[in-house]
Amino acid sequence: ASKRRIHVQRKLRFLLLMALRMLFLALLAFAFARPILFKDPALAVTEDTIHHIIVLDTSFSMGEGNNFALAQDRATGILNNMGDDDIASLFTASTNVTSIGDTTDDGAELIAQLQTIEPDNGRLDLGTMVSALNGLIRASAANFTVHVISDFQQTGQAVRFADMIPDVINGRPVTLDVQSVVTLPQPNWTVDAVRVENRATVIAGIHKYNTDEAAVEKQASLAVNGVVQQETTVRTTGNGAYLVQFDNVVFTEGDNKVDVSLTPKDSLPADDIRYTVFDNSPPAPVLLLTDNTSSLGVTYLRAALETAPRGYKVDAIDVADFDARVMQRYPWLIVEDIGIVSGSLEAAMRDFINGGGSVFAAAGARVSGLSAIPLLGSIITTDFNARQTTAQITRIDTTHPVLADSGGWANINARTLALQLTPEDRVLMSQSNRNPVLIERNIGAGRFLFLTTSVDNSTSDLPVKPVFVSFLAEVAQYLSNENLLVKEQVADSFLQLNQTGGASGQVIDPEGTSLLSLQDTTSAQDVQLHKTGYYQVFTPAGEVLVAVNPDIRESDLTLMPVQTLQNWQNIVAGTAVTENSSLVAADRQQDDLDEIEIWRYFLALLGILVLAESLLGNRYLN
């Protein structure tokens, strides 16, 4: 006896639905494989083709006379004389190297684009230009001819001559064609510096280049906020620098636009004026708590803060006469000697720091005899009286804003308190014996900076060293949350709005155009400053003016020696390497093929299939 087998025949009913799902899986596999199709390039390039790389200097000095018009004519001539099989690429070179359009064999197309180019306010460095070209020029089977059309200023030459030698592009021969639009150095006058002294005197630096005239007179004019206040005559007898002084200048409170200009204008008029911003804001008040308003420490602190770039007014108050409620008027304060803080004053200061205030304190004579530091609570293990020798500062945390831009700490000798540190303490400076010199601790929403030596020259020589002034200026800026913008910039530099803290606000260029969109104003930005003149910057801290001028090196129209240019061409020609390998030629042919990533199309089809499968499945279910 055996068990009877039953065979059941089933029929597939939903063939279309199954086909859609199989196709979905197949397309999904293809999409993850990221397939690529190759097609022949639009331009037919052979080993006899010459690829003309035309680099047009658009830096500031090209605005002199008709230099730029001559450069456009030279580029047009190159394009008109291309061979039938030749191709060309057009680039502009200034602070950056920019590609103008795609590589093409249509010279007329590039000539039309050429007419839309104008000189800018940047500076050309030939080494930087060559480095950028090495990354921008695509390899091909063509022979390369690099045409550089410029005025070739001496100041534009790379520091290292080797930086001006382009890489051999894909092993093809490279020819350098140097075309100078200037044969003789042109005379030029410029205002290259302006500074304000004592809030009432303006001193301008005038420079004269490349002129053989024995005596020349220029009229120098000073305008403040668009109103001319003074004029004077500048008499010169040769090339070089001259100083012009304007006395009894009247400024308004806050940022002032200070323009010094020369007339009559020369052939490069854009540098006959210099834009400067002078901040005439009143000094910011700083509260200084002490037990002796005539002490040497108060004198040192006041002198350092009042000479800081921002300018501060020190309000020194004796703790015996101090009303703690006054603290709320100040964003930060100084304690000359932390030993004077006790009782109700310590409690009030703790509330001040917890609420977001900041304190900078030093260790003075009143610390002797204490077992712990007020406010910090740090245990004092060794005080001043127990130390007979000084030690040098050997460790500095230069990542901290207070110490990032100051130097000279190795020359400071100090006797310091030895403290028992806590995990909340960040040691910013310490000595060779590992004793901390500067400590930071965050308390609540505020900050506390503690200097473990005195500021009256009794236990350290810090107050009499130059670093003391810059150090206190950085402390003031850090504790007051005043992140200051650099108010004088070079064209094409970046305005770092993250220095203002928080959101960017808005930036208005010299022509009144807003540079940031509404969305950009909500986050910190770096804005490149292409135009010269005054930019208005609106930040959370208020409105700030920023003056932008061209790089003063662009005003020196002295030319590179002819022999240097000839050597440059000869060396570039000597770096060319001719290849005869058929394998390399095959590699070039593969490199020249244009790639098309078709997996993106598969993803689009997958989306359509998902929708179709869902609709068909719902239909069958119904």
Side-chain angles (χ1 to χ4, degrees), residues 152-446:
F152 294 105
Q153 292 175 274
Q154 179 68 48
T155 56
Q157 183 174 341
V159 176
R160 295 192 319 150
F161 191 81
D163 293 337
M164 297 167 56
I165 311 302
D167 294 341
V168 178
I169 307 166
N170 201 32
R172 302 303 299 169
V174 179
T175 301
L176 178 63
D177 174 30
V178 172
Q179 297 203 23
S180 177
V181 296
V182 181
T183 56
L184 296 174
Q186 298 301 307
N188 187 42
W189 288 73
T190 182
V191 184
D192 57 10
V194 174
R195 73 175 187 270
V196 179
E197 295 183 349
N198 303 320
R199 296 181 178 268
T201 301
V202 175
I203 300 176
I206 312 297
H207 212 112
K208 179 183 176 186
Y209 296 100
N210 303 324
T211 176
D212 297 328
E213 298 172 286
V216 177
E217 290 188 357
K218 290 278 185 176
Q219 196 74 11
S221 175
L222 169 67
V224 178
N225 298 320
V227 179
V228 176
Q229 288 198 13
Q230 298 182 38
E231 292 183 342
T232 186
T233 300
V234 184
R235 296 180 176 86
T236 62
T237 56
N239 295 324
Y242 298 86
L243 293 180
V244 179
Q245 182 169 318
F246 301 94
D247 297 316
N248 302 317
V249 182
V250 179
F251 298 104
T252 61
E253 186 174 307
D255 283 348
N256 288 259
K257 300 177 182 179
V258 182
D259 303 336
V260 176
S261 58
L262 297 175
T263 53
K265 302 292 185 181
D266 55 27
S267 58
L268 185 58
D271 66 355
D272 292 346
I273 183 172
R274 187 164 186 87
Y275 307 101
T276 306
V277 175
F278 171 59
D279 185 0
N280 195 38
S281 300
V286 178
L287 176 62
L288 171 59
L289 296 181
T290 178
D291 61 347
N292 180 6
T293 57
S294 302
S295 69
L296 195 58
V298 171
T299 302
Y300 285 132
L301 289 168
R302 176 178 280 118
L305 287 170
E306 290 181 352
T307 56
R310 168 64 176 86
Y312 296 90
K313 179 179 179 296
V314 177
D315 298 332
I317 300 179
D318 195 316
V319 290
D321 305 322
F322 180 60
D323 184 350
R325 292 173 295 182
V326 174
M327 281 190 293
Q328 304 304 323
R329 304 175 186 173
Y330 301 86
W332 71 290
L333 59 86
I334 302 174
V335 181
E336 180 195 7
D337 185 347
I338 193 65
I340 66 176
V341 178
S342 62
S344 60
L345 177 59
E346 182 177 2
M349 290 186 64
R350 189 178 302 279
D351 291 340
F352 171 73
I353 301 174
N354 279 320
S358 297
V359 173
F360 171 70
R366 296 286 294 271
V367 174
S368 298
L370 296 179
S371 60
I373 300 297
L375 293 173
L376 291 179
S378 301
I379 304 300
I380 301 175
T381 58
T382 307
D383 62 17
F384 295 132
N385 295 330
R387 296 179 55 82
Q388 303 299 324
T389 60
T390 61
Q392 288 185 322
I393 296 173
T394 57
R395 178 186 172 275
I396 301 171
D397 185 356
T398 56
T399 64
H400 196 276
V402 168
L403 302 174
D405 297 324
S406 59
W409 291 102
N411 299 321
I412 305 300
N413 296 292
R415 288 189 290 125
T416 60
L417 296 174
L419 304 176
Q420 183 176 329
L421 300 177
T422 67
E424 293 80 17
D425 295 325
R426 177 180 176 182
V427 178
L428 304 181
M429 283 195 299
S430 59
Q431 296 174 304
S432 54
N433 54 15
R434 296 187 178 181
N435 278 348
V437 178
L438 184 64
I439 300 170
E440 180 182 29
R441 183 188 294 183
N442 293 326
I443 302 176

Side-chain angles (χ1 to χ4, degrees), residues 569-605:
Q569 294 182 95
N570 294 341
I571 292 176
V572 171
T575 61
V577 178
T578 302
E579 300 173 276
N580 297 317
S581 171
S582 59
L583 294 177
V584 174
D587 289 340
R588 288 199 202 102
Q589 185 177 2
Q590 180 69 17
D591 290 340
D592 288 342
L593 295 177
D594 292 336
E595 298 178 355
I596 303 176
E597 296 181 332
I598 61 174
W599 62 272
R600 302 178 187 274
Y601 300 104
F602 288 156
L603 288 180
L605 289 175

Side-chain angles (χ1 to χ4, degrees), residues 518-544:
L518 183 60
Q519 181 180 359
D520 292 336
T521 61
T522 62
S523 59
Q525 302 284 329
D526 288 343
V527 179
Q528 193 165 17
L529 308 172
H530 296 294
K531 300 174 183 177
T532 58
Y534 295 101
Y535 286 75
Q536 289 178 285
V537 184
F538 298 92
T539 71
E543 180 182 352
V544 178

